[in-house]
Amino acid sequence: MRSKLIAGNWKMNTSWEEAKSLFNSVNEFPSNNKSMAVCVPACYLAGLCPAHPNLSVFAQDCSAHEKGAFTGEISAAMLASLGVKGSLVGHSERRQYHNETSELLKRKVDQLLANKLTAIYCIGETLEERNNELHFATVTKQIEEVIGHLSSTQMKNIVIAYEPVWAIGTGVTASNDQAQEMHAHIRSFLKTTFGEVANDIQILYGGSMNAANAQALLACEDVDGGLIGGASLKVADFEFIYNA
Ligand code: PEP
């Protein structure tokens, strides 16, 4: 039985004072049967770890390299040494603005797993791809190229976040039917590739999830939680989604 995970992606927002205040509020949500995570700016990771057992701290990115002369980079081993639970990999903003390729993302996933961390691997199609009915092929390719080489045991440390690019930060959400259809497709592909472990892999939905639409999206059979951007910066909205 899969548990639900509600993860906030703060992106490049908050001052340190705001970050501490937001984190302390989230840390104090009365726990329910869902897990919680916050993906925070890298410079705040050390100051926010460790959280209480129901709340995990994640990075938003990590290096594809193990260590060495890579100025500005943060390695998976560094994240592990802080008590960070893992990192987002392949968020569409990084694919788009930093030209991150599948080859690079694959190495980031490998670094995280080598350090016993969890990768929240983000996938999703553009509007153009959906309009051309390429959405299933796009996410299948994103899975194959970046995590297709993993063993079923390694897949236990992978969370998938399906985030249609056209829904991120736009206020437009996938309908419940669109989300369920895609999540079922992803699970079925994971089953073909990795076997029965696919039943235990959490597949989160992301893209303008908010207090108004969370309950219905989270009720979909194959939606195992949410990756939430804008609404995770507002304590009341994030708590509402956590309890949805
Ligand atoms: C995200 O950035 O992962 C995201 C889902 O953002 P938003 O909720 O703001 O659409």
Side-chain angles (χ1 to χ4, degrees):
M1 183 63 187
R2 299 181 298 273
S3 62
K4 295 243 195 266
L5 171 64
I6 302 298
N9 177 13
W10 294 0
K11 309 194 189 192
M12 196 173 72
N13 291 299
T14 73
S15 65
W16 173 228
E17 288 308 314
E18 290 164 345
K20 277 188 290 187
S21 162
L22 177 57
F23 186 83
N24 288 338
S25 301
V26 172
N27 211 9
E28 281 165 14
F29 291 174
S31 54
N32 60 28
N33 55 357
K34 300 189 195 77
S35 304
M36 254 192 308
V38 281
C39 308
V40 307
C43 54
Y44 301 155
L45 285 166
L48 298 180
C49 284
H52 76 51
N54 195 38
L55 175 62
S56 306
V57 178
F58 275 73
Q60 297 174 7
D61 184 36
C62 80
S63 178
H65 302 283
E66 187 185 338
K67 63 176 177 179
F70 300 101
T71 302
E73 290 276 83
I74 296 172
S75 72
M78 291 171 181
L79 298 179
S81 71
L82 291 178
V84 169
K85 179 84 190 297
S87 178
L88 296 177
V89 176
H91 191 283
S92 67
E93 288 153 12
R94 293 209 61 86
R95 292 183 195 256
Q96 189 181 346
Y97 306 136
H98 300 270
N99 301 316
E100 294 200 345
T101 62
S102 290
E103 180 47 38
L104 182 84
L105 299 177
K106 183 177 172 188
R107 285 164 47 214
K108 291 186 178 196
V109 168
D110 287 344
Q111 283 299 321
L112 288 166
L113 297 188
N115 286 281
K116 299 187 169 37
L117 297 177
T118 297
I120 301 182
Y121 176 48
C122 305
I123 57 176
E125 80 285 359
T126 62
L127 187 58
E128 191 185 352
E129 286 163 339
R130 181 162 278 267
N131 287 340
N132 287 304
E133 300 195 0
L134 291 171
H135 44 301
F136 293 126
T138 298
V139 301
T140 304
K141 187 163 180 273
Q142 289 170 332
I143 294 172
E144 266 176 334
E145 289 183 349
V146 174
I147 55 172
H149 65 294
L150 300 180
S151 69
S152 49
T153 306
Q154 287 176 307
M155 284 302 291
K156 290 180 182 159
N157 288 320
I158 301 287
V159 173
I160 306 273
Y162 168 59
E163 301 203 294
V165 178
W166 46 271
I168 296 178
T170 58
V172 179
T173 315
S175 69
N176 304 332
D177 287 348
Q178 285 173 323
Q180 172 54 31
E181 183 186 40
M182 180 57 90
H183 282 230
H185 166 79
I186 294 167
R187 195 171 314 281
S188 144
F189 182 70
L190 293 176
K191 240 181 226 173
T192 310
T193 312
F194 303 106
E196 286 310 302
V197 72
N199 289 324
D200 300 326
I201 296 172
Q202 289 172 313
I203 307 175
L204 315 183
Y205 169 80
S208 297
M209 188 182 269
N210 57 38
N213 58 33
Q215 190 155 20
L217 283 163
L218 294 171
C220 297
E221 187 183 340
D222 286 290
V223 176
D224 306 315
L227 180 57
I228 297 121
S232 71
L233 297 169
K234 298 177 201 138
V235 174
D237 287 18
F238 195 56
E239 186 167 20
F240 193 93
I241 295 169
Y242 177 57
N243 290 318

